[in-house]
């Protein structure tokens, strides 16, 4: 419970004009407003959100502020250069520290602590994937000297994870409380003069107009920062798939159990199952664990106010106890879920059209806590017209392919996650890589 917000939850009540209207008040929208107003304090910026600020994955994510990079690196390298791909990775790494600096400047208390992240293998097939990942990152020149390969003994000295056999330590990650970061950003952008209208759903983007059922904002620039809610806009249904990600959190873990687990730092970690889980130790000594749960609802429908179904809670609790058997008797306090945006090629895209004034950033595929800020600074430079290294990054102007129409979209997602479940069971039982893995990867497009 982070307490009530200090802003007034105003709704749009009339037609208005602005320099820039931002559709969506999640991380992308809030950071874009913030970075623009820092660069040009006299800009008139309006944010519109269909629900409340941070309602989607921005307020309900796993609290990983990491430099993880997904996407079609080979395609980016052909279109730009291998050096540009490495530059993107390094820019993401640096963004972790940039966000931390902004939090200090704006006095945003979001439980931020930069202790890195562990990518943990708990089976032989996962070890092979870990080795492949390490080799790939080395080949792209994306690793710095602080990345570490860890043995089972090394891992135990940090966190006693049942069955852990190997890991990679990535220093470029900080733990945060995501909803607190949203709250701090809202307060910062309002203090800098932005107008925020919540429960004011945009039903159409028409030329230089963002149309709602409560009024229309006319602006030179319209930034579409709708991420997992993009499919609800006319004409954008197949741009991004709304992927559901669920979490549960324990009651406060007793000191006696922490002594068994270790985990005295704030490292985040995730396993290398195909249906991977991601975890953090919270500032108040609980453990939060997330995973995909029920990943997709037919026709791009969304969850109902973050409610998570009982089977998903059960699956996550089972995985938590597999990783930490000593937590068997620690109750689960609650669960929730949020919807994130996934492009068909699992790649973030950033675009600014100077002719129409339409701008877009999104498709973070679950790694948006850090990427949203880098995308926002890139949008800032493109909108303001400042040539910079950011505007040359390979995700700028990247054209994502469209998702298949229904029912193919639903069938494809269900098939992939059904295969992932079978693959993980096979790997756990036999210790061998499943022959179904190539099929799952091909359908997923990864």
């Amino acid at each position: 419970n982070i307490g009530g917000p200090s802003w007034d939850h105003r709704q749009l009540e009339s037609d208005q004009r602005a320099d820039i209207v931002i559709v969506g008040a999640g991380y992308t929208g809030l950071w874009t407003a913030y970075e623009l107003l820092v660069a040009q304090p006299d800009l008139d910026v309006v944010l519109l959100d269909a629900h409340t600020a941070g309602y989607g994955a921005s307020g309900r994510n796993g609290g990983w502020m990491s430099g993880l990079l997904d996407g079609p690196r080979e395609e980016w390298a052909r279109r730009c250069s291998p050096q540009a791909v490495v530059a993107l990775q390094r820019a993401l790494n640096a963004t972790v520290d940039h966000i931390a600096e902004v939090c200090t400047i704006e006095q945003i208390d979001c439980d931020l602590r930069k202790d890195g992240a562990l990518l943990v293998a708990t089976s032989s097939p996962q070890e092979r994937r870990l080795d492949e990942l390490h080799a790939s990152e080395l080949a792209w020149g994306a690793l710095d000297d602080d990345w570490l390969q860890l043995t089972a003994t090394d891992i135990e000295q940090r966190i006693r994870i049942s069955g852990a056999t190997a890991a990679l330590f990535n220093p470029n990650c900080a733990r945060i409380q995501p909803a607190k970061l949203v709250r701090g950003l809202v307060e910062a952008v309002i203090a800098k003069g932005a107008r925020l209208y919540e429960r004011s759903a945009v039903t159409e983007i028409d030329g230089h107009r963002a149309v709602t059922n409560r009024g229309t904002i006319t602006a030179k620039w319209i930034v579409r920062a709708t991420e997992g809610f993009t499919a609800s806009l006319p004409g954008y249904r197949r741009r991004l798939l709304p992927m559901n990600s669920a979490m549960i959190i324990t009651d406060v873990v007793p000191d006696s159990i922490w002594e068994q687990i270790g985990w005295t730092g704030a490292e985040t970690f995730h396993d290398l199952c195909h249906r991977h889980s991601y975890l953090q130790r919270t500032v108040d000594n609980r453990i939060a664990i997330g995973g995909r749960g029920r990943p997709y609802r037919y026709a791009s429908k969304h969850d109902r106010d973050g409610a998570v179904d009982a089977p998903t809670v059960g699956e996550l609790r089972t995985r938590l106890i597999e990783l930490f058997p000593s937590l068997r008797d620690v109750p689960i306090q609650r669960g929730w879920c949020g919807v994130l945006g996934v492009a068909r090629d699992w790649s973030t895209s950033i675009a600014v059209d100077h002719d129409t004034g339409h701008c877009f950033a999104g498709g973070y595929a679950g790694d948006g806590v850090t990427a949203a800020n880098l995308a926002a600074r890139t949008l800032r430079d493109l909108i303001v017209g400042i040539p910079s290294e950011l505007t040359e990054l390979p995700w700028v102007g990247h054209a994502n392919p469209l998702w298949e129409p229904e029912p193919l979209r639903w069938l494809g997602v269900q098939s992939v996650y059904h295969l992932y479940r079978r693959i993980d069971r096979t790997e756990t039982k036999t210790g061998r890589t499943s022959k179904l893995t190539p099929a799952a990867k091909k359908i997923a497009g990864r």
Side-chain angles (χ1 to χ4, degrees), residues 81 124 242 400 435:
S81 68
S124 296
N400 303 116
K435 295 180 180 179

Side-chain angles (χ1 to χ4, degrees), residues 72-363:
R73 295 186 181 185
E74 289 77 10
E75 179 184 332
W76 285 343
R78 287 193 299 270
R79 186 168 62 85
C80 298
S81 68
Q83 293 76 20
V85 179
V86 174
L88 175 54
Q89 178 64 74
R90 291 177 178 170
L92 280 167
N93 293 344
T95 299
V96 176
D97 294 324
H98 173 77
I99 295 174
E101 183 180 355
V102 171
C103 288
T104 299
I105 292 170
E106 301 297 341
Q107 298 182 336
I108 298 173
D109 180 6
C110 59
D111 304 341
L112 191 156
R113 181 170 164 184
K114 187 184 177 186
D115 277 2
L118 292 171
L119 285 65
V120 180
T122 58
S123 68
S124 296
Q126 290 183 34
E127 278 194 62
R128 286 191 286 274
R129 288 198 290 276
L130 193 70
D131 290 341
E132 290 169 1
L133 172 64
H134 189 239
S136 174
E137 297 300 292
L138 284 173
W140 282 107
L143 303 186
D144 55 39
D145 294 337
D146 293 329
W147 276 71
L148 300 175
Q149 288 182 287
L150 304 180
T151 64
T153 301
D154 297 328
I155 300 166
E156 188 171 356
Q157 292 173 357
R158 292 173 177 265
I159 311 175
R160 298 182 192 103
I161 303 166
S162 179
T165 57
L168 279 176
F169 172 74
N170 174 4
N172 302 301
C173 184
R175 177 208 64 194
I176 63 163
Q177 208 283 19
K180 288 185 178 181
L181 179 55
V182 167
R183 180 183 179 184
L185 285 173
V186 171
E187 293 174 341
V189 299
I190 289 176
K192 293 184 184 303
R195 287 175 281 154
L196 169 63
Y197 298 107
E198 298 176 307
R199 304 199 181 280
S200 303
V202 173
T203 56
E204 183 182 6
I205 296 174
D206 177 21
H208 290 276
R209 303 186 312 141
V211 181
T212 83
N213 60 1
R214 309 184 62 85
T216 296
I217 305 290
T218 302
K220 179 180 179 181
W221 299 100
I222 297 180
V223 178
R224 181 164 50 85
T226 46
E227 247 306 82
F229 298 90
T230 299
S232 62
L233 285 170
Y236 296 97
R237 179 171 293 276
R238 292 169 59 193
R239 296 292 181 89
L240 293 178
L241 182 140
M243 182 74 73
N244 208 54
S245 197
M247 297 197 71
I248 60 173
I249 192 167
T250 68
D251 277 350
V252 175
V253 177
D255 290 343
S256 59
I257 295 180
W258 283 121
E259 289 175 4
Q260 298 176 50
I261 294 174
W263 205 354
T264 57
E267 305 99 322
T268 60
F269 83 86
H270 74 68
D271 60 30
L272 285 165
C273 293
H274 287 88
R275 300 179 69 247
H276 72 273
S277 302
Y278 45 92
L279 300 89
Q280 69 151 280
R281 176 177 179 169
T282 68
V283 72
D284 59 350
N285 294 322
R286 306 170 193 269
I287 294 177
I289 178 172
R292 287 294 175 258
R294 182 183 175 188
Y296 178 68
R297 290 168 169 80
Y298 188 82
S300 296
K301 294 179 181 178
H302 302 135
D303 63 83
R304 296 182 178 179
D305 294 326
V308 59
D309 55 74
T312 297
V313 173
E315 286 182 14
L316 290 172
R317 185 176 185 276
T318 296
R319 184 55 180 156
L320 179 64
I321 293 170
E322 288 173 351
L323 295 168
F324 299 114
S326 58
L327 293 173
R328 186 175 303 278
D329 296 324
V330 176
I332 300 302
Q333 185 194 52
R334 62 177 298 233
W336 65 94
C337 61
V339 63
L340 53 99
V342 178
R344 188 63 182 90
D345 60 358
W346 297 81
S347 173
T348 300
S349 180
I350 300 170
V352 170
D353 189 325
H354 286 265
D355 293 327
T356 65
H358 290 188
C359 314
F360 164 75

Side-chain angles (χ1 to χ4, degrees), residues 380-382 384-392:
R380 173 203 63 197
D381 291 354
L382 289 165
V384 175
I386 303 172
S388 72
E389 293 179 356
L390 301 185
T391 62
E392 300 300 320

